[in-house]
Amino acid sequence: HRARAGRSSSRSRRYDRSCRGDIHSARPIAMVAGATPALIASLAVSASARVCHGDALQRLSDEGLERFLQTFVAAHASDHDECVAAMNGSRYTSSQFGQDLFVWRNFFAAHAAAGRRGFYVESGANKPKALSNTWFFDRCLGWAGLCVEPNPMYHAALRRERTCTVVPECISATPERLGMRFSGVITTVKKSSGNKVDCNPLDVMLQRVGQTHVDFWSMDLEGYERIVINSTDFGRSEVGVLLVEDFHLSNRELDLQL
């Protein structure tokens, strides 16, 4: 996965290779999150983070985290022990490679300690918990969000086990209906055939719930990530941190696009 942080103006979305720093220093803001724990660990001890806006990374010190956990109460009581274990490092959540905790600890832990809650979007939400990068933000931290998932087989469970607003659509540059073929976790676009699905721009989806700002956007679309990024008007939808699965993508092309 790749994580990027920044503001939504055209100037701030340019990739500035001159601004760099260690992800454990006081003020880095944009970083690359590896798809494996080994790569995440290597980034943690290298200068691989890119620092462009100093106020975006709000990493909590180990002492601050310990104080926070002494009074922390999970948004959903049944998940409290699992949430605490994840935050103190004794276990992972259901996120595939710990991406949720990596993003939270480096960008949002200090916000949580200050009592602030954010807003997330998960595109390609799939199952409510397994492999989800936003379950932790929802069930542990009490964030609101959108779970964007066109496959109807996941909708009932998402509505039952999550507090997000389920959006049974796909993200597109303009409102349209597209044909889609569903096969397990894989969804393929078939414009002239398949199950017809409503698709809308992200800002339209956000307007329905009174939002213009997304603190954390997790994107796992099995190869369609760059298309969705290109279809999003970041001037209308501010995004603080964007996590992109790059398994099916060219890393070079994705870096250039971001």
Side-chain angles (χ1 to χ4, degrees):
H1 285 67
R2 301 243 164 173
R4 290 285 188 270
R7 300 191 180 89
S8 61
S9 69
S10 59
R11 181 177 66 179
S12 66
R13 283 189 283 116
R14 294 194 189 105
Y15 184 63
D16 182 358
R17 295 183 182 275
S18 66
C19 50
R20 295 177 179 271
D22 188 316
I23 63 172
H24 292 302
S25 63
R27 300 171 68 77
I29 70 93
M31 68 183 70
V32 179
T36 66
L39 183 52
I40 290 175
S42 72
L43 288 170
V45 296
S46 71
S48 296
R50 278 82 177 188
V51 183
C52 301
H53 302 295
D55 60 348
L57 185 132
Q58 304 289 337
R59 190 176 188 276
L60 197 64
S61 68
D62 292 340
E63 296 78 9
L65 178 63
E66 185 176 353
R67 288 193 299 271
F68 168 65
L69 289 178
Q70 288 174 356
T71 58
F72 170 76
V73 177
H76 297 266
S78 60
D79 301 309
H80 179 80
D81 291 344
E82 182 175 353
C83 297
V84 171
M87 286 188 281
N88 69 22
S90 60
R91 65 166 294 169
Y92 277 133
T93 62
S94 56
S95 179
Q96 188 170 14
F97 296 112
Q99 301 97 317
D100 52 357
L101 295 176
F102 182 80
V103 169
W104 175 73
R105 184 69 190 271
N106 286 281
F107 290 100
F108 299 114
H111 294 182
R116 293 171 55 187
R117 295 184 177 183
F119 189 90
Y120 65 82
V121 170
E122 183 153 19
S123 355
N126 206 266
K127 297 179 180 178
K129 185 176 183 181
L131 306 184
S132 173
N133 292 326
T134 62
W135 179 92
F136 169 80
F137 291 86
D138 180 337
R139 302 288 300 186
C140 297
L141 302 179
W143 285 28
L146 300 182
C147 290
V148 183
E149 176 53 66
N151 191 336
M153 72 177 288
Y154 298 115
H155 295 164
L158 284 168
R159 292 188 174 104
R160 183 174 62 249
E161 300 177 34
R162 296 285 298 272
T163 63
C164 58
T165 299
V166 176
V167 182
E169 302 174 357
C170 67
I171 297 175
S172 59
T174 58
E176 58 182 325
R177 282 178 65 82
L178 292 177
M180 293 189 171
R181 185 176 65 193
F182 305 121
S183 177
V185 299
I186 306 296
T187 296
T188 333
V189 175
K190 301 288 183 182
K191 290 190 177 181
S192 58
S193 62
N195 302 277
K196 293 299 182 181
V197 175
D198 289 328
C199 301
N200 280 289
L202 177 63
D203 64 275
V204 171
M205 298 177 181
L206 292 172
Q207 286 172 9
R208 296 174 189 157
V209 293
Q211 288 285 138
T212 58
H213 179 79
V214 177
D215 295 284
F216 174 39
W217 184 4
S218 175
M219 186 183 298
D220 185 348
L221 302 172
E222 305 301 326
Y224 290 94
E225 291 84 1
R226 292 189 63 222
I227 295 173
V228 170
I229 292 170
N230 279 333
S231 73
T232 301
D233 183 348
F234 287 92
R236 297 175 66 88
S237 305
E238 294 184 349
V239 178
V241 178
L242 172 60
L243 178 68
V244 180
E245 183 190 49
D246 59 7
F247 182 80
H248 301 282
L249 306 178
S250 160
N251 291 344
R252 179 174 295 180
E253 292 178 357
L254 181 60
D255 279 346
L256 179 63
Q257 182 178 20
L258 293 174

